[in-house]
Amino acid sequence: MDIRHDDNDRRRRNNNGYRGGGNRKRARDDEDDYHYDPRRRPPQRQRGGDDQPASRRRYEEVPFAKLRRMTLNIAGSAQLPQDEAIELAKVFAENYDDERLRNDYFDIIIQLILEQPVKIPFVAAVIFYGNDAKSEIMADALKRVSSRAQEALNGGLWKEFKLMLRFLACLQARYDGDGVFTLLNQLFDTVVDLQSANENDVVGIELVKIILLTIPYALAYSGSAFESQAKDVLDNTGIVASNMLPMEGLIHSYLPDSEEKPLAYHSVIGLLQQQLTTEAETGWPLVVLPKFDREGLRKQAGEDTMTDAPASHPFPTIEIPSPMNPGSRPLFPESYLSLYGNQDLVTVPDITNIASSLFRDAIVDTIDQLHFNRDAAAKLLIEIDNYWTVGVFAKRSTSFELMREINEEKAHFKPEDVIMDAIFSQIFKLPAPEHKLVFYHSIITSACKIAPTAIAPSLGRAIRAVYKYIDIMDLELVNRFLDWFTHHLSNFEFRWRWTEWLEDLPLSDLHPKKAYILAAIDKEIRLSFAKRIRSTVPEQMHYLIPNRLDEDNSPDFKYDDPSTPYSQEGQALITQLRKKASDEVIQEIINKIHTLAVEQGIADVLVPSTDALVTSICRMGAKSLSHVLSCIERNKDRLLSVANESDAARRQIVASVVEYWKDQPGVAVRIIDILLNYQILAPITVVQWALGDFLGAGEVLAKSWVFEMVSNTMSKVANRNRQIIVARFQKGLPQEQIEMVEATLTKDRESARELFKYIDDQLSGVATGAADTLIERESSGELSAEDGQYVRAWAVRWRTVFQRKAQVEESVVGEQAVDAKIKYLAAQPEPVPIEEDANAAGNGVDVKNSDEIELDI
Amino acid sequence: MSPNRSTVQRLDQPSSYASSKNRRRRRDEEEPEPDLMEKLKDATTLYVGNLSFYTTEEQIHELFSKCGEIKRLVMGLDRFQKTPCGFCFVEYYTHQDALDCMKYIGGTKLDERIIRTDLDEGFAEGRQYGRGKSGGQVRDEYRQEYDPGRGGYGRALADDYGEDVD
């Protein structure tokens, strides 16, 4: 049973959106779901009995099963959520004496808060009504949730802290005094301390985000009593929220200098501050947050039975630790991106509307927390309208055209656009997304499978919105988009309306749109094969996929052509290598190449001999990656000795691989990766080849595979450094090991800096037009003025990406970052091991999802 | 604190096939036998099934490296013909990458076929060969449906259909 939501949509029975399995299946699932007390379970059904519905409901659902089922499905059924919450509260109150039930039910509540944050207001409503029925319910819930919040705060698990706090805020109406606002003010005091200690502090930024996102929930569920408290908090956060950190200059989705941008840069907290201020001015309508009748349960119970005023509780104590644990994930400022915000028609909330932040935050968290079941996450997204005020969304799967009509009367949001916007915001999150990008690919795939007719048109508009501004989008994001686009199409028969891009085919290959098309075709072929991809594109594009790619043959061995220099030697070499001839025989042929090279006045004779060797290896290993791997393995010592002897020859290794696989650069990229792992190549070899030997006037910067090769190489460097600091942060490391690790770190950190510096220098030459080859080719007319401008623009975009990467690495493995962490760890009382603490706090939700950016201490 | 049960099923659990080796199926048990769980708790290898015979290592690399760097890829081969027979083992460097692969790639398409991934205790020599009577995978022996990506009809049936098994 993967997904447990009732598909019956109470709000639009006539909607033609997705509707999955009926109640029959669900009823069975719910029984499967039951785990409370196996001893009291109904006798095991025989497998064959599954088809006999009559026998299935013979047993009355025990209270816990009912509580679990209804809670997990809350707001997802035909019932009104308020009625569900009241019923749950009553059942819970009736069975409250059962300790095991009580404990297990609170566990479910905590788990639901963590895993499906869009449901927090509904879960809180259960406890809110529970308080009316039995005040211990709320008292105990506060105890448990606040202790979980405390753990999260101690562990630097910001998202979990935020979610626990949100639950507490939803109960604001039932606290003594100022309730959650007292804590928000204390948190803000901490922000002030953090910010005054370090102007680049990011933990404070994160705390401000949490504070700001808690306020709307506290106000929506407590009436107008706390508006002045909210105003006070907002007055304080204003300065921090509007402050710009240096890092923010590097996380723009679109080039900061471009004139026509679909969306200007906005920091998440800057926007929140503005939106909340606007909301305060209009008396906090908070339209989208679903409201409940606070007297709901009391009205049902009848006034006479409930004469007492509802119990109120002191806000639970949460201690703010000092020093703050910054958490295991590096924190960065966040920018707000919307792909649909720039349409002529409103389908997603405008950035001035608090709804945009509330939707985005809750949806993104739900996606990220449900990473372990993309289908369940996608299903929840498809039904996203269930979890907000009825009527703020248009019916599911309302067409864009129909939206135009509907919105003439009153603005509605299109649920599909809102959820796709949220998913893409994660794919496009800089500097790094929360999970591996492929997770977001898979959730889009799932959503498309569940509700194809609803999702596909939204997706199409997203693709067009990205393509339209692809020339000014951050280059790393373009490559993420390319990766998603091609992977997505590979799941849907490679269907895309290429015809609408045909007009861009005549453009120069250096134009960003043309370059994108070329890269997309290459990536599609990598996941499939040339002939198949040709059959999916219009005929006008066939020339992009030459027939020679269809042949099953390996690429030609250039030495077979007698006009190739050293052709005889090249042929002899491959013959002997195939025979696995002795080193002497091989060396003899190589020496011959050297002799000829000297005669021809070649400075480094190892270059032509390495070309022959590597080209032979590529040819022999052309059949598959395992073939080339075993060829490399067999010739490893030879390659290593060449690599150690001459830098030029070492770069020739890259050159020969790329040359041999010029029609299938994806294969070259993989082989280079293998060679890096064998340390036959060093990162600097690859970078110097790509941005030195191969750079030309800079035309190669338009090729996505070159970007891929350089980024992959730099990721390897970054990952290694991060592994070193993980080793450094280990507890109880003996002094001599500390010294050893630090020496390695110092060395590797320096070489990473040199690499970034080399990249930046090379790119800046092209970006400013000062590079010699660029000047030559432009003045000779070899490169048109237009292409010259494209080349410069590519260099600018490359540069932004690698400057950011350099900065990110500094903030994670730089001296300052490492020192701060060591100091923090040293200040920790023995022996609360951070790692275990973080794990325990995970509570079933993975806190350690390794992705590129993760610093896993 | 022991981890709580999730509110929805996890996709990074070994499948019922993997646990069928020591199967004692109980419907109220979502998790497989502890023995197997223990073996797979650090698994970095995945069994990948339902590939087309024509899917290449390069294609597999292209897709599976989206979950992390691949340490080793072993293609499943027909025991007699030594040609791909529709499965492979993908080994990652980390357990987390293997879990992510279960969550994000298992059940999606490669070469336009829905592929199946399963946590595996690790490749051992010999396991790369099909265990079917005629050399391929067992499931391809008696398959009733025509599957052009996997050699047409089941091989045991192919004679009756006059299908060329080569």
Side-chain angles (χ1 to χ4, degrees), chain A residues 4 32 47 68 115-116 371-374 436 483 491 493 527 532 624 626 670 677 844, chain B residues 5-7 9-11 25 27 57 59 62 65-67 69 96-97 100 103 106 109 112:
Chain A
R4 291 176 214 106
D32 280 351
R47 290 199 58 157
R68 179 175 161 90
E115 292 182 350
Q116 304 188 32
H371 62 89
F372 53 83
N373 189 332
R374 59 176 194 259
K436 287 173 183 152
D483 199 44
N491 272 281
E493 290 96 45
L527 285 165
R532 168 69 180 133
S624 75
S626 345
R670 292 259 169 261
N677 287 349
Chain B
R5 186 168 173 235
S6 294
T7 56
Q9 192 195 359
R10 299 188 66 97
L11 299 181
R25 197 153 178 234
R27 287 185 61 95
E57 287 181 36
Q59 286 172 281
E62 185 68 26
S65 59
K66 291 184 197 298
C67 276
E69 200 173 320
Q96 187 61 54
D97 289 348
D100 286 347
K103 294 184 289 183
K109 282 185 181 178
E112 302 181 56

Side-chain angles (χ1 to χ4, degrees), chain A residues 96-170:
Chain A
Y96 204 68
D97 292 340
D98 182 341
E99 192 188 341
R100 185 165 176 190
L101 176 142
R102 197 163 66 219
N103 286 335
D104 286 358
Y105 188 62
F106 280 127
D107 283 347
I108 290 174
I109 288 192
I110 290 198
Q111 203 66 12
L112 202 61
I113 295 170
L114 285 174
E115 292 182 350
Q116 304 188 32
V118 284
K119 297 184 182 169
I120 290 177
F122 303 97
V123 183
V126 175
I127 301 301
F128 186 93
Y129 292 128
N131 186 53
D132 286 335
K134 202 178 187 76
S135 66
E136 291 96 315
I137 289 182
M138 179 157 161
D140 285 344
L142 293 182
K143 234 180 270 168
R144 283 164 183 266
V145 174
S146 64
S147 107
R148 198 69 177 73
Q150 183 74 61
E151 276 175 42
L153 188 57
N154 295 347
L157 300 164
W158 304 114
K159 182 176 291 180
E160 296 195 2
F161 178 63
K162 176 181 73 178
L163 298 176
M164 291 299 144
L165 201 55
R166 175 167 312 163
F167 173 87
L168 296 174
C170 289

Side-chain angles (χ1 to χ4, degrees), chain A residues 466-669:
Chain A
V466 173
Y467 185 76
K468 185 173 175 193
Y469 292 102
I470 209 152
D471 53 332
I472 54 165
M473 189 174 230
D474 180 272
L475 194 55
E476 182 173 349
L477 300 189
V478 173
N479 280 278
R480 288 191 201 167
F481 181 72
L482 171 74
D483 199 44
W484 166 73
F485 178 72
T486 50
H487 184 206
H488 183 80
L489 294 189
S490 80
N491 272 281
F492 296 92
E493 290 96 45
F494 295 100
R495 275 181 281 128
W496 172 245
R497 237 182 275 159
W498 289 101
T499 42
E500 51 189 84
W501 293 349
L502 286 179
E503 60 183 39
D504 295 329
L505 286 184
L507 294 171
S508 157
D509 284 0
L510 299 181
H511 188 286
K513 286 189 172 163
K514 179 71 176 296
Y516 180 79
I517 294 174
L518 295 174
I521 296 288
D522 174 52
K523 290 277 255 180
E524 284 197 340
I525 293 176
R526 290 193 208 178
L527 285 165
S528 181
F529 51 99
K531 206 169 176 177
R532 168 69 180 133
I533 299 308
R534 196 183 298 114
S535 76
T536 65
V537 299
E539 218 181 320
Q540 295 94 313
M541 290 173 70
H542 285 188
Y543 79 100
L544 298 175
I545 309 171
N547 284 328
R548 64 173 180 280
L549 292 180
D550 295 353
E551 291 155 23
D552 215 11
N553 304 335
S554 313
D556 292 339
F557 184 57
K558 68 178 178 181
Y559 298 100
D560 284 341
D561 177 351
S563 67
T564 308
Y566 318 102
S567 77
Q568 279 185 14
E569 292 71 24
Q571 289 175 36
L573 187 63
I574 200 169
T575 312
Q576 295 305 325
L577 284 171
R578 279 201 170 119
K579 283 191 198 157
K580 303 193 172 74
S582 67
D583 283 350
E584 291 75 32
V585 176
I586 305 287
Q587 194 56 45
E588 208 174 298
I589 304 171
I590 286 175
N591 289 343
K592 204 162 166 206
I593 297 178
H594 292 169
T595 317
L596 285 171
V598 170
E599 283 167 18
Q600 284 163 24
I602 300 232
D604 190 342
V605 295
L606 277 171
V607 170
S609 66
T610 303
D611 189 19
L613 176 64
V614 175
T615 307
S616 300
I617 290 173
C618 286
R619 177 69 187 87
M620 291 185 297
K623 206 168 169 205
S624 75
L625 282 173
S626 345
H627 284 82
V628 79
L629 200 64
S630 68
C631 287
I632 291 170
E633 191 103 34
R634 273 206 306 278
N635 291 282
K636 196 176 159 204
D637 292 340
R638 237 169 243 136
L639 290 166
L640 277 171
S641 98
V642 169
N644 289 331
E645 220 170 304
S646 151
D647 283 342
R650 203 177 197 185
R651 294 199 299 276
Q652 181 60 45
I653 298 176
V654 185
S656 300
V657 171
V658 171
E659 164 68 18
Y660 185 76
W661 288 107
K662 57 181 176 297
D663 287 331
Q664 284 150 271
V667 180
V669 171

Side-chain angles (χ1 to χ4, degrees), chain A residues 49 84 118 121 171-172 184 187 197 293 310 342 351 376 399 407 487 559 589 612 616 659 692 781 799 805 829 832:
Chain A
E84 290 179 300
V118 284
L171 297 170
Q172 175 69 13
L184 295 186
L187 286 170
D293 179 359
N342 197 38
I351 54 164
S399 73
N407 281 6
H487 184 206
Y559 298 100
I589 304 171
S616 300
E659 164 68 18
R799 216 179 157 195
K805 286 182 189 285
V832 185

Side-chain angles (χ1 to χ4, degrees), chain A residues 250 756 760 798-808:
Chain A
L250 296 169
F756 278 119
D760 199 56
W798 268 72
R799 216 179 157 195
T800 311
V801 172
F802 286 95
Q803 282 178 348
R804 174 174 59 242
K805 286 182 189 285
Q807 204 48 53
V808 168

Side-chain angles (χ1 to χ4, degrees), chain A residues 159-227:
Chain A
K159 182 176 291 180
E160 296 195 2
F161 178 63
K162 176 181 73 178
L163 298 176
M164 291 299 144
L165 201 55
R166 175 167 312 163
F167 173 87
L168 296 174
C170 289
L171 297 170
Q172 175 69 13
R174 291 290 176 264
Y175 296 124
D176 307 329
D178 285 347
V180 72
F181 285 99
T182 312
L183 178 63
L184 295 186
N185 282 317
Q186 287 165 356
L187 286 170
F188 184 75
D189 293 342
T190 311
V191 175
V192 174
D193 294 345
L194 289 166
Q195 299 256 307
S196 45
N198 174 8
E199 56 177 349
N200 280 323
D201 166 72
V202 275
V203 173
I205 303 281
E206 194 66 21
L207 284 175
V208 168
K209 186 178 92 183
I210 293 171
I211 294 170
L212 293 177
L213 279 167
T214 305
I215 294 174
Y217 290 90
L219 288 183
Y221 299 106
S222 65
S224 56
F226 298 95
E227 285 179 15

